[in-house]
Amino acid sequence: MMMRMNRGAGVANLLLHLPLLLSSPSLSPLSFFPLLANPLPHSASATFQFSTASMASAGNISQQTQPPVAKKVEHVMELFGDTRVDNYYWLRDDSRTNPEVLSYLEQENAYTDSVMSGTKAFEAKLFEEIRGRIKEDDISAPQRKGSYYYYIKNLEGKEYVQYCRRLLPHSQAERPAFVTDTMPVGDDAPPEHVILDENIKAQNHGYYSIGAFKISPNHKMVVYAEDTKGDEIYTIYVIDAENGALVGKPIVGATSYVEWAGDGALVYVTMDEILRPDKAWLHKLGTEQSSDSCLYHEKDETFSLDLHASESRKFLFVASESKNTRFNFHLDVSKPEDGLSLLTPRVDGIDTFVSHRGYHFFIKRRSDKFFNSEIVACPLDNVSETTLLIPHRESVKIQDMQLFNDHLVVYEREDGLPKVIVYHLPDAGEPLKRLQDGQAVDFLDPVYSVDPSDSDFYSSILRFSYSSLKTPPSIYDYDMKKGNSVLKRIEPVLGGFDALKYVTERKWANAPDGTQIPISIVYRKDLVKLDGTDPLLLYGYGSYEFCVDPSFKASRLSLLDRGFIYAIAHIRGGGEMGRQWYENGKFLKKKNTFTDFIACAEFLIEKKYCSKERLCINGRSAGGLLIGAVLNMRPDLFKAAFAGVPFVDVVTTMLDPTIPLTTSEWEEWGDPRKEEFYFYMKSYSPVDNVKSQHYPNILITAGLNDPRVLYSEPAKFVAKLRDMKTDDNILLFKCEFGAGHSSKSGRFEKLQEDAFIYTFILKALEMIPDEVSNRN
């Protein structure tokens, strides 16, 4: 499955599907875009709790009852005869150690705590309500690999997971897998073995995240990548799978991209001085990192490296990609010392994703001509001789592919909805030809999310994850020969959850240019009146061709069960409606993203789903740019807004090639060193467009160690809003001192964040009951 580096995308979706991440060849926590930043010294990382704990750790701030006023230091920037003055440029400190900057952030946190102090009791009750829906002692759907079942286990009261395995019973080990197979448990079953316990590893860290966890081909060792600050700078360890003993010395300063090259070697990726993944290395176990051989060095600053293994595990693929071009090398894991060979050439505008089966490489290929992608195959010994397997179609986007020994699974999109199509392949020694009569997997909900999961290449069982706005994350095994699905696991939701109480819908709003914009909606049918008086939370993203498919989130029930409607605006700039949907929401068409979102908000008001006085909005990262832009454009349309780690200082950031992601994202936002892009980007950049006007209630968050959106961007946005806005509405800023782009790392800590955000929204709507509010 293809991954792209950017300023955000589907962190929430990754966390939602954590049980799928065990040893997937493509998915790993935060493997979306492994860029890095200069970390705060760890001594400062444990001083902050996201709930409502005060940031007065320095001892000189006990209660911040007035909003902080950031000092103004004039910083003049001139380009193309245009002058911009940034009075808050001083808030950027790449070392994260400047006492004056840290003091200001502490004041903002203390002020937020002060404003929210009257709702602490409600927030605590809400947190317990959200936590009460979780089955705390639970396991993921076990996955058969070799002679073992592998799974992830949660323990009651613990923030982090255990990585576990059990031997297959002798009766199962001697026959092929069936969709009806289950992992035996109990006294007579093979014993459970805990390979690694994150709770133990995290004990001395305020933040802890494993970004890759992969079993060696012989199942004797594990490689994992560890981040202990939230800056996405990983240390790679190899351990003995049985006793946990360290094998060799750790590899430092790496991304989370790491793969086994047989049982005795690894391939991994490191970064350059601006934190761009630029080098792929071959490491032989037992040797020093300094002796590793560089397989490829990408010197073009607009390109970054990617790494993945074929489903067959016989090849590794090193890809170099920009936002518009991707080319690939392959490495035979049986002969890693031979190094890389070119598979698909570097051609501007051609984007290729590759895999392997039998005597062929399979290639998903996109260009301006076949913009929704086609799939071709080529012989291993003649990569220039391609056979068309699935042609390009203007109404259907090929998003991903998954190979098996006897099948090809294609993940498509049509009319904004994902589809899964299974094709039978001829025997490996027979010629390949155009594939037809694929079998579609059926889904029940009108709007939903479906994603590939790790599957056994040599079986006929496809494993995928499924979810909808009212269906908890579910793991299915699908028999590709018989066409039947078996539910292997559905995420337990405690507290009396009943999916039949909720309604999901797909509606369409008219954009200003006449384009129809899809909206996914969920609400509880016995509570919502649909007369304009219901509260509504509208989410949007709209960047990087990322698809925000409708999926389940248990904590969201705390809003739905209070009469909220939840909606997702599938705006241009995302990829929900195909490649052109993305192209029409980027570069000099980026404003379509914002006007689409506004059109969706107006549609929901017009159709009596809510009113301006009951409409709240939220988005994170590049979705935070969306929130910042629409707040400047139409502040009258919303009652409250949440912007998480928002990318809001677009022009200044994109003019600075020393900031992580800048050079690689000129193909996403445009290069403001060119006059046309400069003035267009300036016309929507949130920091540059704050006006003297009324704004709704606003909550903004940041992570001090965030490598994708520097904490200074939201800090400057807040400082400028405080200086210029003309209303008395709430404006709060909260900076996580011990985290990065994805906030805190523990599962309960993340639920605390949800409780805090929901409390803010309910406070803005005056929906917090007096009996659970401890107002002073």
Side-chain angles (χ1 to χ4, degrees):
M1 180 174 168
M2 293 178 62
M3 299 292 179
R4 296 287 194 190
M5 291 186 300
N6 65 37
R7 298 189 187 275
V11 174
N13 286 336
L14 277 174
L15 296 173
L16 178 68
H17 298 301
L18 179 61
L20 310 179
L21 305 177
L22 178 51
S23 51
S24 167
S26 55
L27 285 175
S28 59
L30 301 184
S31 66
F32 278 95
F33 336 120
L35 286 204
L36 320 161
N38 300 318
L40 180 73
H42 181 68
S43 59
S45 68
T47 61
F48 180 68
Q49 292 294 324
F50 201 107
S51 56
T52 50
S54 173
M55 270 308 301
S57 57
N60 60 342
I61 304 172
S62 59
Q63 185 78 353
Q64 183 79 33
T65 58
Q66 297 298 316
V69 177
K71 72 175 184 179
K72 294 183 178 180
V73 180
E74 186 177 86
H75 180 81
V76 178
M77 298 169 285
E78 297 182 352
L79 191 62
F80 303 120
D82 180 62
T83 299
R84 292 183 303 131
V85 177
D86 185 349
N87 291 319
Y88 307 106
Y89 192 86
W90 66 272
L91 284 169
R92 176 182 169 186
D93 170 34
D94 289 355
S95 73
R96 278 82 165 170
T97 59
N98 183 305
E100 189 173 20
V101 172
L102 295 179
S103 176
Y104 171 74
L105 297 176
E106 288 173 344
Q107 291 176 51
E108 285 285 1
N109 286 334
Y111 175 67
T112 295
D113 291 340
S114 178
V115 171
M116 299 296 289
S117 62
T119 56
K120 284 186 178 181
F122 176 80
E123 181 189 336
K125 178 182 177 182
L126 190 61
F127 169 69
E128 291 303 323
E129 174 184 307
I130 292 172
R131 180 170 176 170
R133 296 192 186 96
I134 296 175
K135 187 177 186 299
E136 295 190 15
D137 54 340
D138 198 15
I139 70 169
S140 65
Q143 177 69 47
R144 176 175 171 174
K145 288 180 175 295
S147 300
Y148 296 91
Y149 278 110
Y150 288 91
Y151 53 97
I152 289 176
K153 185 176 182 180
N154 281 301
L155 302 177
E156 185 172 358
K158 298 294 186 180
E159 291 278 8
Y160 299 96
V161 301
Q162 294 179 332
Y163 295 83
C164 306
R165 73 180 180 185
R166 289 178 189 262
L167 275 169
L168 266 71
H170 184 72
S171 59
Q172 286 190 22
E174 292 188 334
R175 61 170 174 77
F178 300 131
V179 292
T180 54
D181 286 346
T182 59
M183 181 181 73
V185 295
D187 295 339
D188 296 332
E192 174 180 274
H193 173 64
V194 178
I195 302 171
L196 186 145
D197 189 335
E198 285 189 358
N199 297 287
I200 296 174
K201 295 289 184 180
Q203 283 178 350
N204 298 318
H205 304 288
Y207 179 97
Y208 190 84
S209 176
I210 287 182
F213 185 91
K214 298 181 179 181
I215 307 294
S216 63
N218 63 9
H219 297 264
K220 293 183 178 180
M221 292 172 289
V222 169
V223 61
Y224 68 95
E226 177 185 86
D227 172 14
T228 59
K229 295 185 176 71
D231 57 9
E232 298 174 53
I233 300 175
Y234 290 89
T235 300
I236 296 173
Y237 298 89
V238 177
I239 60 172
D240 185 292
E242 279 300 313
N243 58 32
L246 189 64
V247 178
K249 294 182 179 179
I251 297 169
V252 299
T255 69
S256 62
Y257 288 156
V258 60
E259 297 285 355
W260 286 99
D263 293 312
L266 301 170
V267 174
Y268 65 96
V269 176
T270 60
M271 300 75 57
D272 63 9
E273 64 277 3
I274 63 167
L275 312 175
R276 174 182 61 92
D278 73 321
K279 291 179 181 177
W281 300 85
L282 177 66
H283 173 78
K284 295 183 179 179
L285 297 189
T287 65
E288 297 286 336
Q289 184 177 354
S290 59
S291 65
D292 293 349
S293 57
C294 184
L295 296 171
Y296 181 71
H297 181 195
E298 178 52 76
K299 298 180 180 179
D300 189 326
E301 62 183 3
T302 65
F303 280 72
S304 299
L305 295 190
D306 183 20
L307 170 68
H308 74 278
S310 67
E311 291 92 341
S312 67
R313 297 297 190 268
K314 293 185 176 180
F315 288 90
L316 298 184
F317 302 107
V318 174
S320 182
E321 61 179 7
S322 68
K323 291 294 184 292
N324 197 45
T325 302
R326 178 181 169 111
F327 60 102
N328 298 266
F329 301 90
H330 64 87
L331 179 141
D332 187 336
V333 298
S334 67
K335 299 179 290 184
E337 64 280 356
D338 289 354
L340 299 178
S341 299
L342 184 65
L343 174 51
T344 57
R346 177 171 177 164
V347 179
D348 185 49
I350 303 293
D351 184 315
T352 53
F353 178 78
V354 297
S355 196
H356 161 259
R357 176 258 191 185
Y359 299 99
H360 291 86
F361 292 118
F362 284 62
I363 305 168
K364 184 174 83 72
R365 184 167 60 185
R366 182 199 57 77
S367 73
D368 291 341
K369 182 179 179 181
F370 29 91
F371 53 84
N372 274 336
S373 298
E374 63 181 5
I375 295 178
V376 301
C378 65
L380 301 184
D381 57 0
N382 187 0
V383 296
S384 62
E385 180 187 320
T386 60
T387 299
L388 179 64
L389 302 180
I390 300 177
H392 168 263
R393 291 152 291 170
E394 292 197 6
S395 61
V396 178
K397 174 185 177 181
I398 298 175
Q399 186 152 333
D400 207 347
M401 65 178 181
Q402 189 174 8
L403 272 168
F404 293 80
N405 193 47
D406 296 320
H407 296 88
L408 170 65
V409 180
V410 180
Y411 294 82
E412 300 180 345
R413 304 192 68 86
E414 187 171 16
D415 294 329
L417 293 175
K419 299 168 62 179
V420 180
I421 312 296
V422 178
Y423 295 92
H424 179 74
L425 294 174
D427 292 342
E430 297 181 6
L432 289 171
K433 59 183 179 180
R434 183 163 172 169
L435 300 176
Q436 298 181 9
D437 302 323
Q439 175 67 43
V441 181
D442 295 327
F443 305 108
L444 297 177
D445 293 293
V447 290
Y448 56 87
S449 172
V450 61
D451 295 293
S453 186
D454 197 18
S455 303
D456 181 0
F457 174 78
Y458 292 101
S459 79
S460 61
I461 299 174
L462 166 68
R463 174 162 287 194
F464 61 86
S465 64
Y466 176 83
S467 175
S468 79
L469 291 170
K470 67 174 185 177
T471 305
S474 308
I475 301 297
Y476 284 90
D477 279 353
Y478 177 81
D479 189 323
M480 292 184 285
K481 292 182 177 179
K482 298 180 180 179
N484 63 298
S485 296
V486 174
L487 177 64
K488 306 303 289 187
R489 180 184 187 270
I490 185 167
E491 180 180 292
V493 182
L494 307 182
F497 169 72
D498 181 1
L500 296 177
K501 293 181 179 179
Y502 303 88
V503 174
T504 58
E505 299 175 349
R506 168 61 57 90
K507 299 294 183 182
W508 301 82
N510 278 317
D513 63 0
T515 301
Q516 292 278 293
I517 313 299
I519 309 173
S520 297
I521 300 171
V522 63
Y523 55 87
R524 192 168 139 172
K525 57 187 176 183
D526 61 329
L527 297 179
V528 167
K529 300 177 288 294
L530 299 179
D531 61 358
T533 65
D534 301 305
L536 188 147
L537 180 60
L538 177 63
Y539 174 82
Y541 189 76
S543 291
Y544 300 110
E545 202 177 0
F546 185 75
C547 301
V548 183
D549 286 321
S551 58
F552 187 86
K553 186 176 182 179
S555 62
R556 192 187 298 140
L557 295 173
S558 287
L559 294 181
L560 299 180
D561 290 350
R562 285 174 171 81
F564 267 78
I565 299 170
Y566 179 77
I568 302 170
H570 302 283
I571 48 186
R572 282 175 285 184
E576 290 92 332
M577 298 286 287
R579 178 71 183 188
Q580 292 303 115
W581 198 252
Y582 165 60
E583 297 285 354
N584 289 329
K586 63 180 290 194
F587 282 154
L588 300 174
K589 297 179 180 180
K590 186 60 195 173
K591 288 183 183 178
N592 283 337
T593 302
F594 316 133
T595 54
D596 285 358
F597 189 82
I598 291 171
C600 290
E602 292 176 329
F603 170 86
L604 292 166
I605 293 170
E606 177 190 353
K607 298 301 181 182
K608 302 294 186 182
Y609 283 94
C610 64
S611 64
K612 292 181 181 180
E613 292 74 24
R614 307 290 278 171
L615 176 56
C616 306
I617 57 176
N618 75 316
R620 287 182 55 90
S621 195
L625 161 63
L626 164 71
I627 300 302
V630 301
L631 284 176
N632 285 331
M633 296 167 67
R634 287 295 306 277
D636 62 299
L637 200 54
F638 315 108
K639 181 66 175 179
F642 166 66
V645 292
F647 172 43
V648 285
D649 196 12
V650 181
V651 179
T652 301
T653 292
M654 296 308 296
L655 280 170
D656 188 346
T658 69
I659 295 176
L661 292 170
T662 291
T663 58
S664 64
E665 296 208 345
W666 284 329
E667 287 188 356
E668 174 72 25
W669 310 103
D671 184 349
R673 298 175 303 176
K674 300 175 182 178
E675 185 173 359
E676 184 179 26
F677 284 111
Y678 171 85
F679 284 104
Y680 186 79
M681 294 164 75
K682 182 186 174 185
S683 72
Y684 68 76
S685 174
V687 165
D688 292 292
N689 286 278
V690 174
K691 302 179 182 68
S692 179
Q693 61 181 354
H694 281 25
Y695 284 85
N697 300 284
I698 302 171
L699 169 63
I700 295 174
T701 62
L704 192 65
N705 296 335
D706 191 342
R708 305 182 196 175
V709 177
L710 298 184
Y711 74 91
S712 53
E713 291 198 38
K716 289 196 291 182
F717 188 47
V718 169
K720 194 169 183 180
L721 281 169
R722 289 207 191 285
D723 182 54
M724 298 190 69
K725 75 188 191 80
T726 57
D727 59 84
D728 294 324
N729 290 325
I730 302 170
L731 172 59
L732 302 180
F733 179 47
K734 201 147 198 176
C735 182
E736 282 281 14
F737 272 46
H741 197 65
S742 301
S743 186
K744 301 290 281 186
S745 54
R747 60 170 172 161
F748 301 129
E749 291 173 319
K750 292 183 180 299
L751 298 184
Q752 282 184 319
E753 179 181 5
D754 287 344
F756 179 78
I757 294 168
Y758 293 169
T759 299
F760 165 78
I761 291 171
L762 291 164
K763 177 182 176 70
L765 293 175
E766 300 181 348
M767 291 180 63
I768 298 178
D770 288 337
E771 60 268 21
V772 288
S773 174
N774 57 338
R775 295 190 181 97
N776 295 326

